[in-house]
Amino acid sequence: MLELEEKLKAHLGVKHLFFVANGTIALQIAIKALELKGEVITTPFSYVATTSSIVWEGCKPTFVDIQQDTLCLDPQLVEQAITPRTSAILATHVYGNPCDVEAIEAIAQKHQLKVIYDAAHAFGVQYKGQSLLNFGDVSTLSFHATKLFHTGEGGAIITDDDELAHKISYMSNFGHDGPERFLGLGINGKNSELHAAMGLCVLPKVSDLARRRQEISKHYDQLLDGLGLVRPLIAKDVLYNYAYYPVIFPNEEKMLTVIHALNAQQIFPRRYFYPPLSELNYVEKQEGKVAQSISPRILCLPLAHDLSSSSVVQIVAIIKENL
Ligand SMILES: *Cc1c(COP(=O)(O)O)cnc(C)c1O
């Protein structure tokens, strides 16, 4: 476990990293360690864990809409959502595409808010020549089997704050300080040696996996050109990891037709992220026009290092026939 943590720190270029049971407990421990209370400004366009972890830790999510081009939290809308009860911003680097970290940082400083990035998709992404994980107070990763780098199940908490790192280290291990002393409240958030061993096997291959995904993404780009499907914009100054290949259809009906046609050929793309998190039955309903428009008609096409060229050709042919 220590070996994996050391290798991940070196690979990613981050100061403190804790290998935990999954990406969801990583978010929960981050919220707990930062002692967040009241309202947390967050995105409706993410995986459910981004919102559920806020509610699970006794805070209230305030949803702010996303940007039309990057699909990440819109910083221009954040400021007007801040109230005296707001304690933090929890934003997702959607599909590994960085949030506007500078604008978010400026707002957070002005209003004394903490910032957590759900970086579950952002393994290895660089922004302006450094790890994207170095922005915000804390970033979290998921190492679930579906992610670019994985340990079967797993996740990580990243920070460059020494004091916060100390707190996260004992909080994720029952509060232990050695076998007979406790520093404070903790939970069993740690991962196992077995999962760490899986990570040590995958890590040396991760650059090749990303390169293969890049080639497949380029192939999709060529074949899909001219079909009128919109792709999210990758922000400037970004070294992208090619974790996902999302396409936005003109409407939900066309997308559903394509999904059914693909499913009939045993091809299973993923609706990701759907539905918008502001529609969950345990949050206050809030409008987010862009998220509500994109979520029902965005689809992640199959993308894996071992996806063959002929499969890519077949997938695009099926899409074309059904548009
Ligand atoms: C996968 C994912 C999570 C949850 O991670 P787990 O390791 O499955 O708990 C959280 N947020 C986002 C954006 C994810 O994609």
Side-chain angles (χ1 to χ4, degrees), residues 22-24 46-47 49-50 92 118 120-121 142 144 147 154 272:
N22 55 64
T24 306
S46 184
Y47 184 59
T50 316
T92 300
D118 181 341
H121 296 175
S142 165
H144 184 254
K147 308 296 204 255
Y272 201 56

Side-chain angles (χ1 to χ4, degrees), residues 227-229 249-250 254-255 257-258 318-323:
L227 294 189
L229 300 178
F249 286 76
K254 282 223 162 82
M255 190 188 74
T257 309
V258 166
I318 294 169
I319 293 173
K320 259 188 198 164
E321 279 164 26
N322 290 279
L323 267 182

Side-chain angles (χ1 to χ4, degrees), residues 112-177:
Q112 308 234 312
L113 304 176
K114 302 290 184 190
V115 179
I116 301 174
Y117 287 113
D118 181 341
H121 296 175
F123 188 93
V125 174
Q126 303 251 325
Y127 177 66
K128 291 193 173 164
Q130 68 158 313
S131 174
L132 180 60
L133 304 170
N134 287 329
F135 293 86
D137 294 283
V138 180
S139 291
T140 62
L141 288 168
S142 165
F143 302 151
H144 184 254
T146 53
K147 308 296 204 255
L148 176 63
F149 168 78
H150 79 95
T151 60
E153 285 272 12
I157 313 173
I158 291 106
T159 183
D160 53 15
D161 179 325
D162 297 342
E163 219 171 291
L164 190 61
H166 173 64
K167 200 166 166 189
I168 291 166
S169 76
Y170 70 73
M171 275 193 150
S172 49
N173 186 28
F174 304 97
H176 267 298
D177 177 25

Side-chain angles (χ1 to χ4, degrees), residues 81-93:
I82 296 172
T83 75
R85 293 174 300 282
T86 307
S87 62
I89 300 168
L90 170 42
T92 300
H93 299 306

Side-chain angles (χ1 to χ4, degrees), residues 207-278:
S207 300
D208 283 340
L209 299 179
R211 201 168 309 125
R212 243 331 264 153
R213 283 178 192 236
Q214 179 177 13
E215 287 166 13
I216 296 165
S217 299
K218 290 229 162 99
H219 195 190
Y220 270 132
D221 284 346
Q222 284 165 7
L223 297 174
L224 289 169
D225 190 39
L227 294 189
L229 300 178
V230 176
R231 300 259 302 127
L233 181 82
I234 302 296
K236 269 201 328 208
D237 302 317
V238 175
L239 196 70
Y240 186 54
N241 65 359
Y242 298 88
Y244 296 91
Y245 195 91
V247 289
I248 304 166
F249 286 76
N251 57 55
E252 185 175 19
E253 198 188 340
K254 282 223 162 82
M255 190 188 74
L256 291 175
T257 309
V258 166
I259 293 176
H260 291 144
L262 289 168
N263 288 172
Q265 302 297 321
Q266 301 300 307
I267 299 165
F268 299 97
R270 183 154 178 214
R271 293 192 78 175
Y272 201 56
F273 306 106
Y274 178 81
L277 301 174
S278 48

